[in-house]
Amino acid sequence: MIEEFKKIIENSNNIVFFGGAGVSTESGIPDFRSKDGLYNQKYDYPPELILSHTFFYNNTEEFYKFYKDKMNSLKYEPNITHIKLKELEDKGKLKCVITQNIDGLHTKAGSKNVLEIHGTIYKNHCIKCNKEYSAEYVFNSNGIPRCNCGGIIKPDVVLYEEPLNESFEEAIRYIQNCDTLIVGGTSLTVYPAASLIRYFKGKNLILINKDKTPYDNIATLVINKKLGEVFKEI
C-alpha cells in the first residue's frame, strides 16, 4: 500500500492535503474522540459545551481555564508528517494544506499555503476594540486575558455554534481543482469540515487513518496506519 502511495505522489503535481487531529497526535497533542482524547476526560462541563460560542460569553473564566490547560500547543513541535508535507510543497507537488487543527504546527514546520478552517491559537483579538494579541499573551495571562481597553480577548478559533471562517470556501476551490487529495488523521464524521471531501473531482483519493471512515468505499487507496509510519517512507 505504501509503495502505491509513493507512486501516486510521484505521478501527481497538484496535490492537496486535508488533515485532522491525527496529524498532531504524534507531536504529543491529544485528539478529541479517541479513548484518551479530550472528550473522554472528566471536567465540570463537557468539552463540547466549554468550546461553544455561548459558553465563551456566559462562562468566560471557565472557558479560559480549559482553553489554557488543553489548547496551549506552543511547546509542541512539528512531526514527520508536517515536515514531509513541507518538503512536498517545496517540490511544487503539494499546492495546499487544509487543516482542522488550531495548533499552528504546519506553519511552524515551514508550510506556506495553509488553510486553517477552524482558526488558530496564534491569532486573538479584543472583542471590544478588535486589537490583536499573540498566543503568548493569552496563555501567559492571569485569569481572563484582557485588552488595554479593558475588553475581553477572544481566540480566533471556530467554536461550536460559530460558522467556519472564509478559508473554507478557498479550501473547496483547492479540492475541486486538485488531481490527488490526501486525507489524513481525521474520522471524517465532523461537519461541515467532513463535507469537503464531496467536492473532490480528481483522480486519486487517498485516506490515511488508523480507523475506518465513512468514505473508505470511494477511495483510490485506504491506509489504516499512523500518518508518521506512512510519511516517513516518502
Side-chain angles (χ1 to χ4, degrees):
M1 285 186 182
I2 291 180
E3 285 303 314
E4 187 178 349
F5 176 58
K6 289 163 66 176
K7 187 178 291 186
I8 291 172
I9 296 289
E10 288 169 10
N11 294 324
S12 299
N13 290 303
N14 188 345
I15 302 170
V16 168
F17 179 84
F18 171 42
V23 178
S24 295
T25 51
E26 290 175 67
S27 290
I29 298 175
D31 65 5
F32 284 83
R33 290 174 173 78
S34 69
K35 62 182 178 65
D36 299 317
L38 292 179
Y39 287 176
N40 290 311
Q41 298 177 22
K42 302 299 180 185
Y43 297 96
D44 292 340
Y45 303 90
E48 299 99 318
L49 177 61
I50 298 173
L51 296 173
S52 69
H53 179 89
T54 301
F55 195 91
F56 175 83
Y57 283 96
N58 292 343
N59 299 275
T60 311
E61 189 170 354
E62 284 297 319
F63 170 89
Y64 268 113
K65 284 180 184 177
F66 179 88
Y67 183 80
K68 291 179 182 181
D69 185 35
K70 295 300 178 183
M71 300 290 126
N72 186 353
S73 55
L74 293 177
K75 67 180 180 180
Y76 296 101
E77 295 298 325
N79 60 54
I80 189 67
T81 301
H82 299 103
I83 292 165
K84 290 292 184 178
L85 288 170
K86 190 263 184 186
E87 290 176 2
L88 287 174
E89 183 185 62
D90 289 345
K91 291 177 181 177
K93 286 183 169 290
L94 182 70
K95 304 305 180 184
C96 180
V97 170
I98 302 165
T99 181
Q100 299 175 72
N101 299 334
I102 63 172
D103 52 48
L105 289 183
H106 286 291
T107 301
K108 203 171 186 179
S111 289
K112 300 291 191 295
N113 194 16
V114 181
L115 298 178
E116 297 166 312
I117 61 174
H118 289 158
T120 173
I121 65 163
Y122 286 90
K123 294 180 180 179
N124 306 271
H125 71 281
C126 170
I127 61 176
K128 187 176 179 181
C129 74
N130 219 35
K131 182 178 178 181
E132 295 183 356
Y133 284 86
S134 68
E136 288 81 5
Y137 182 91
V138 169
F139 287 112
N140 292 330
S141 63
N142 292 318
I144 299 171
R146 291 190 177 273
C147 177
N148 297 333
C149 76
I152 294 170
I153 297 170
K154 182 179 184 294
D156 289 355
V157 299
V158 179
L159 301 176
Y160 289 105
E161 305 168 346
E162 294 180 345
L164 294 185
N165 59 35
E166 64 278 358
S167 64
F168 190 74
E169 293 298 322
E170 195 173 352
I172 290 173
R173 289 194 292 273
Y174 272 103
I175 289 176
Q176 284 176 326
N177 293 305
C178 70
D179 57 31
T180 295
L181 175 62
I182 304 171
V183 182
T186 173
S187 61
L188 291 173
T189 56
V190 180
Y191 290 85
S195 66
L196 281 171
I197 200 170
R198 297 176 182 171
Y199 294 94
F200 178 63
K201 302 171 183 176
K203 184 179 180 183
N204 304 297
L205 173 60
I206 302 169
L207 302 182
I208 308 170
N209 198 50
K210 289 191 294 183
D211 303 311
K212 293 180 179 180
T213 80
Y215 294 91
D216 287 3
N217 62 319
I218 65 168
T220 310
L221 181 64
V222 176
I223 304 176
N224 293 129
K225 290 179 179 289
K226 288 183 179 179
L227 280 163
E229 292 178 18
V230 178
F231 274 88
K232 71 180 181 182
E233 301 293 334
I234 65 171

